[in-house]
Amino acid sequence: MSMSSTTAPSATSAVAVTLVGNPNTGKTTLFNALTGLRHRVGNFPGVTVEIKSGKADHDGHPLMITDVPGTYSLSPRSPDEMLAVDLLLGLLPDTAAPDVIVCIVDASNLERNLYLTTQVLELDTPVILALNMIDVAEHNGDHIDVDQLAEELGIPVVPIQANARRGLDDLRRRIIETAGQAAPTKRPVFADAFQQEVDRLEEWLSQRGGEKTPRYLLERAILDAGGSTEKRLVRLAGGDVTKVLTEARERLKAAGCPVPAVEIRSRYQWIVERLAGPLRRSTERKTTMSDRIDRVLMHRVWGLVAFLALMFIIFVTIYSIADAYFMGPIDEFFVFLSDGIGSFLSEGPLKSLIIDGIIAGVGSVVIFLPQIMLLFAFIALLEDCGYMARAAFLMDKLMAKCGLSGKSFVPMLSSFACAIPGVMAARTIEDRRDRLTTILVAPLMSCSARLPVYLIMIGTFIPAVTLQDYVPAFPGADLLGFFSLQGFVLFCMYMIGLVVAPLVAWVLKKTIIGGETPVFIMELPSYKVPSLWIVVDRVVDRGWAFMKRAGTIIFASTIVIWALQYYPRSSETINEYAQRRSVLETQRELPQANAERIDEQLTDLDNEEASTLQAHSFLGIMGHWIEPAVRPLGWDWRIGMAAIASFPAREVVISALGTIYSVGGDVDEESATLREELQRATWPDGRPVFTTAVAVGLMVFWALCAQCLATLAVIKRETNSWGWAIFSFVYMTGLAYVAALVVYQVGSRLG
């Protein structure tokens, strides 16, 4: 693994460069500045992180630069963190080991950032220290002697300002010079007792045979009890390795070198000694602009008020502006496209496939883009300016009660607009268990797609009265006269997710996901003006990732649902309605005919035919199949069929109900005709299908169910596993079913 005997690369071979660094050190800014956004994203099985790589050059020397996610240390405790270590060690298949590792540190927080650097020094690869934010350090009164620091660390040190693109030419030149040189020899030295245990473990493994394990991973196996490195050794050498490691840790403890304290003590002692000469801090602590801003934004009262106000603005923007200025025009465009293409096609399966399958499928994918891109634009702005770390800190104490950290709040709040960007926003959470738990509970928030169901059920079956009418004798009942019952029910529907999600998160963390609430450690970076390039890059990257990966699944599912709704086609039914349509069209040609009235009858006949054909389609058959299961909820086969038809996207349920009840598929939640048909719907014995209990139970089911393949596809994308997507569907559907059952059964008995 050592590079001591390598030679400098030729001008034609690309130098492999890997960027590592703590979060908020400007690593992504540096990567974008070096590559000019010419990068691609690589995904690896079993992990949720993405590795970006891009090309650059310096004086004819090509560079292949790889950017791994920000991390505070190279102590792998999850497959995601193990990926970064394997990449740096050159252990990934079809991926070469780096020729040079560039470690980016925040010059204003040098001592803490160098902890990761000390681990990188042990990888037997040439290392360059990129001293970023040098201007911030100087503004704080800190002076760093770069040449002396390079001598103390034994590696090149290059001061840069990534956001201003200063020092980049010098960094590129040093990369070319460093590639092929010997690996650094200066590094923290652990106690002799620790080195002896590593030697003993290496000898024990060699006796077992198999592939040689890098010494760095052997050290990590001893230091990180239960970590990914130990699990890997168990897979390679069997369960006996756990006993060997446990005995080694016990001997180290007896020798006064307990793990992991021995690592922390040794590294920070070495860092303090190396910085004693090069770093001179000002004796007077300056009050920075960030300090003055934090007096308000980190205040225990005003900070929370400011945070909630900011989240409200983001929520309203995504929920309202995306719908009014983007989603509406997109929907109108696809309607226009459907009408235009449909006018050139004759009735039949081809027209239905193109209009109801392909165009509707593409539209159902594109319609989500505005919300996704707006949300990630806000997240990128907040992250790059330095506020996102403050927001996570403010909410951490509240989220910790359900086993999560403060970083889970923004994804969950974002899911009120749409669960898709909310789930995608969870990738900012470093802890794997927290990230997975957040992904699994975020869809419980009532997104905008659920609103049409709420509105039509509330408007049709909830009386337009005030709360005062229900509790006239209640003390202070006069105040309740300002609150409508319909508004209160809508409020309750949105509160269901806020109440249930923390409970589900707590159960998940106590059971299948496991793990204690992680200690929340986060450095608060200085505020700065966000980089437009970084914001644009992240927005485009997330939008393209959704279109390319989740979008294909959504499109395919839409085609499947179309086929289930369209087939089989009964020729007898089609001929019957064709004859009835012919009779009406003949009557329309008579001089005394009421053309307007006959046109209405023709429209009603078309809707009736669509309803009849759908009732006998594969989807209708499935609705009859599941009726025994949904009857305890007060549902008939038509409601069950609408639930199945809306699986690709929840908002489809209204048009599905419109088709089933013969009022047309182009209705919305404001349709008076659809509301009348729902009120008139009856069981075979004449009982009404929809009652207040059924309507409320249906809304509760929709508030908790997983009727959104788009969300499930993104869960699969973010977890790299269909298992978690299927788990989400099963647990959410089961939870929704039980809740709707309780509501209907109790509500029916209470009248």
Side-chain angles (χ1 to χ4, degrees):
M1 189 69 62
S2 175
M3 307 264 319
S4 58
S5 61
T6 59
T7 58
S10 66
T12 57
S13 61
V15 177
V17 183
T18 300
L19 307 182
V20 297
N22 292 175
N24 301 312
T25 55
K27 182 170 59 64
T28 301
T29 305
L30 175 61
F31 174 77
N32 289 333
L34 291 173
T35 63
L37 304 183
R38 297 176 297 169
H39 64 256
R40 60 181 178 84
V41 177
N43 295 289
F44 296 84
V47 296
T48 60
V49 298
E50 292 177 332
I51 303 297
K52 290 185 176 181
S53 59
K55 297 179 179 179
D57 63 80
H58 180 73
D59 291 339
H61 292 274
L63 306 175
M64 177 56 71
I65 302 175
T66 302
D67 179 31
V68 298
T71 180
Y72 289 108
S73 73
L74 295 181
S75 306
R77 303 196 65 83
S78 72
D80 294 346
E81 296 166 341
M82 196 73 212
L83 174 67
V85 175
D86 284 343
L87 179 67
L88 292 170
L89 289 172
L91 299 179
L92 290 178
D94 302 323
T95 304
D99 297 315
V100 179
I101 298 175
V102 176
C103 198
I104 299 93
V105 298
D106 178 358
S108 64
N109 195 8
L110 198 53
E111 182 175 303
R112 175 67 183 89
N113 279 208
L114 283 178
Y115 186 92
L116 174 64
T117 306
T118 62
Q119 293 177 324
V120 173
L121 292 174
E122 298 170 0
L123 299 178
D124 288 332
T125 301
V127 179
I128 296 176
L129 188 72
L131 203 60
N132 196 22
M133 305 182 195
I134 192 73
D135 55 323
V136 177
E138 292 174 350
H139 180 76
N140 293 342
D142 298 339
H143 177 73
I144 302 173
D145 188 323
V146 175
D147 294 334
Q148 188 176 359
L149 179 62
E151 182 179 347
E152 290 287 344
L153 297 178
I155 57 175
V157 178
V158 182
I160 64 171
Q161 281 184 247
N163 60 341
R165 287 168 167 71
R166 295 176 183 171
L168 301 191
D169 286 339
D170 190 25
L171 178 60
R172 294 188 189 97
R173 179 178 58 81
R174 297 306 291 268
I175 289 173
I176 301 298
E177 294 174 353
T178 304
Q181 293 184 3
T185 56
K186 292 185 177 181
R187 61 188 67 175
V189 178
F190 291 2
D192 291 340
F194 180 81
Q195 299 300 334
Q196 292 170 6
E197 292 298 337
V198 177
D199 293 339
R200 183 178 298 180
L201 176 60
E202 188 173 26
E203 181 180 355
W204 184 85
L205 288 172
S206 65
Q207 294 174 356
R208 304 295 290 260
E211 185 178 350
K212 181 178 175 61
T213 302
R215 188 175 180 85
Y216 178 79
L217 293 183
L218 299 181
E219 294 176 356
R220 296 260 51 98
I222 296 175
L223 292 168
D224 305 328
S228 290
T229 310
E230 179 177 338
K231 294 176 182 177
R232 174 179 290 183
L233 290 183
V234 170
R235 291 194 299 269
L236 294 175
D240 291 345
V241 73
T242 300
K243 179 182 178 181
V244 173
L245 291 172
T246 302
E247 293 174 350
R249 295 178 189 125
E250 291 296 329
R251 287 191 294 268
L252 285 172
K253 184 178 181 181
C257 301
V259 297
V262 61
E263 176 182 26
I264 299 172
R265 183 169 58 243
S266 299
R267 294 193 188 282
Y268 276 119
Q269 180 179 349
W270 189 83
I271 292 171
V272 170
E273 292 173 355
R274 300 287 83 72
L275 293 179
L279 176 62
R280 294 193 298 276
R281 288 193 172 95
S282 172
T283 56
E284 181 181 350
R285 176 72 168 88
K286 290 187 177 181
T287 301
T288 65
M289 178 63 71
S290 294
D291 294 331
R292 289 190 286 269
I293 296 175
D294 278 342
R295 288 174 184 170
V296 177
L297 296 186
M298 296 298 289
H299 190 273
R300 62 180 182 179
V301 176
W302 299 117
L304 187 60
V305 171
F307 171 73
L308 294 177
L310 180 61
M311 292 299 105
F312 176 78
I313 293 172
I314 293 175
F315 175 75
V316 169
T317 301
I318 295 174
Y319 184 81
S320 302
I321 294 182
D323 183 65
Y325 295 99
F326 298 100
M327 299 176 73
I330 289 174
D331 186 54
E332 292 174 1
F333 168 76
F334 280 98
V335 171
F336 170 78
L337 188 63
S338 297
D339 293 341
I341 295 178
S343 64
F344 293 100
L345 299 173
S346 58
E347 293 297 330
L350 178 61
K351 178 178 179 180
S352 182
L353 172 63
I354 294 175
I355 303 300
D356 302 323
I358 297 175
I359 296 179
V362 174
S364 66
V365 174
V366 177
I367 197 72
F368 288 115
L369 266 182
Q371 291 181 332
I372 291 173
M373 300 184 81
L374 274 173
L375 174 64
F376 275 95
F378 279 117
I379 290 178
L381 286 169
L382 296 178
E383 283 183 335
D384 207 38
C385 75
Y387 181 75
M388 187 62 80
R390 273 87 176 170
F393 177 81
L394 287 169
M395 298 307 302
D396 180 64
K397 187 173 293 185
L398 175 64
M399 300 303 295
K401 296 183 183 299
C402 58
L404 298 174
S405 72
K407 285 195 170 185
S408 299
F409 184 78
V410 171
M412 292 175 66
L413 184 68
S414 303
S415 296
F416 274 107
C418 179
I420 294 172
V423 170
M424 294 174 71
R427 62 177 51 195
T428 60
I429 303 172
E430 290 88 1
D431 183 83
R432 179 178 176 273
R433 293 186 178 92
D434 269 16
R435 182 169 65 249
L436 180 57
T437 305
T438 304
I439 287 172
L440 295 179
V441 302
L444 289 169
M445 303 295 110
S446 277
C447 65
S448 57
R450 291 175 168 108
L451 185 59
V453 179
Y454 298 159
L455 293 181
I456 195 167
M457 291 294 128
I458 290 173
T460 308
F461 301 104
I462 304 299
V465 297
T466 66
L467 295 180
Q468 183 183 11
D469 297 325
Y470 278 79
V471 285
F474 187 79
D478 292 344
L479 297 177
L480 298 179
F482 293 100
F483 302 98
S484 72
L485 178 62
Q486 293 180 333
F488 176 73
V489 172
L490 181 62
F491 171 76
C492 289
M493 291 303 107
Y494 276 93
M495 286 300 297
I496 287 176
L498 279 177
V499 173
V500 173
L503 296 176
V504 172
W506 183 83
V507 172
L508 291 174
K509 291 299 288 288
K510 293 296 182 181
T511 54
I512 60 173
I513 294 180
E516 297 297 323
T517 302
V519 177
F520 187 67
I521 301 176
M522 174 175 282
E523 297 174 8
L524 299 183
S526 301
Y527 290 102
K528 63 185 181 71
V529 178
S531 168
L532 176 62
W533 291 111
I534 289 180
V535 173
V536 171
D537 175 53
R538 290 180 182 174
V539 171
V540 173
D541 183 50
R542 296 281 63 79
W544 175 243
F546 168 72
M547 289 293 293
K548 184 172 64 174
R549 300 183 181 100
T552 54
I553 299 174
I554 300 168
F555 174 74
S557 69
T558 304
I559 299 297
V560 172
I561 292 295
W562 165 82
L564 292 175
Q565 284 181 296
Y566 191 81
Y567 292 104
R569 307 288 284 179
S570 171
S571 57
E572 294 181 1
T573 301
I574 294 174
N575 291 335
E576 176 190 344
Y577 280 96
Q579 292 174 5
R580 292 171 60 182
R581 192 177 293 107
S582 178
V583 171
L584 287 174
E585 290 173 348
T586 301
Q587 293 176 356
R588 193 179 186 280
E589 299 301 323
L590 297 176
Q592 69 276 21
N594 185 335
E596 183 175 344
R597 173 57 183 161
I598 293 178
D599 286 341
E600 292 178 358
Q601 292 176 331
L602 285 169
T603 300
D604 292 340
L605 192 63
D606 290 341
N607 293 334
E608 183 183 334
E609 180 185 22
S611 177
T612 303
L613 289 172
Q614 192 171 85
H616 294 87
S617 67
F618 290 122
L619 199 63
I621 294 171
M622 293 169 66
H624 285 287
W625 281 351
I626 70 170
E627 186 178 70
V630 299
R631 189 182 288 268
L633 309 181
W635 298 9
D636 67 353
W637 69 270
R638 291 171 292 188
I639 303 177
M641 178 181 169
I644 298 173
S646 63
F647 185 56
R650 293 185 182 97
E651 57 269 31
V652 178
V653 67
I654 300 299
S655 61
L657 287 171
T659 301
I660 294 169
Y661 285 97
S662 304
V663 295
D666 57 349
V667 295
D668 58 23
E669 63 273 13
E670 301 296 332
S671 172
T673 305
L674 178 57
R675 293 186 179 190
E676 292 172 1
E677 289 298 324
L678 294 179
Q679 290 173 328
R680 284 198 291 261
T682 59
W683 291 93
D685 59 6
R687 292 179 296 114
V689 172
F690 286 93
T691 63
T692 301
V694 172
V696 175
L698 183 62
M699 287 188 288
V700 170
F701 181 88
W702 234 254
L704 299 174
C705 72
Q707 289 300 107
C708 184
L709 186 63
T711 299
L712 297 178
V714 172
I715 291 176
K716 185 270 175 186
R717 165 75 188 94
E718 295 300 303
T719 62
N720 268 338
S721 169
W722 273 115
W724 287 116
I726 294 172
F727 172 79
S728 297
F729 175 77
V730 172
Y731 104 77
M732 289 182 65
T733 302
L735 183 64
Y737 184 91
V738 172
L741 178 66
V742 171
V743 169
Y744 172 70
Q745 295 295 338
V746 173
S748 298
R749 284 160 176 73
L750 293 177

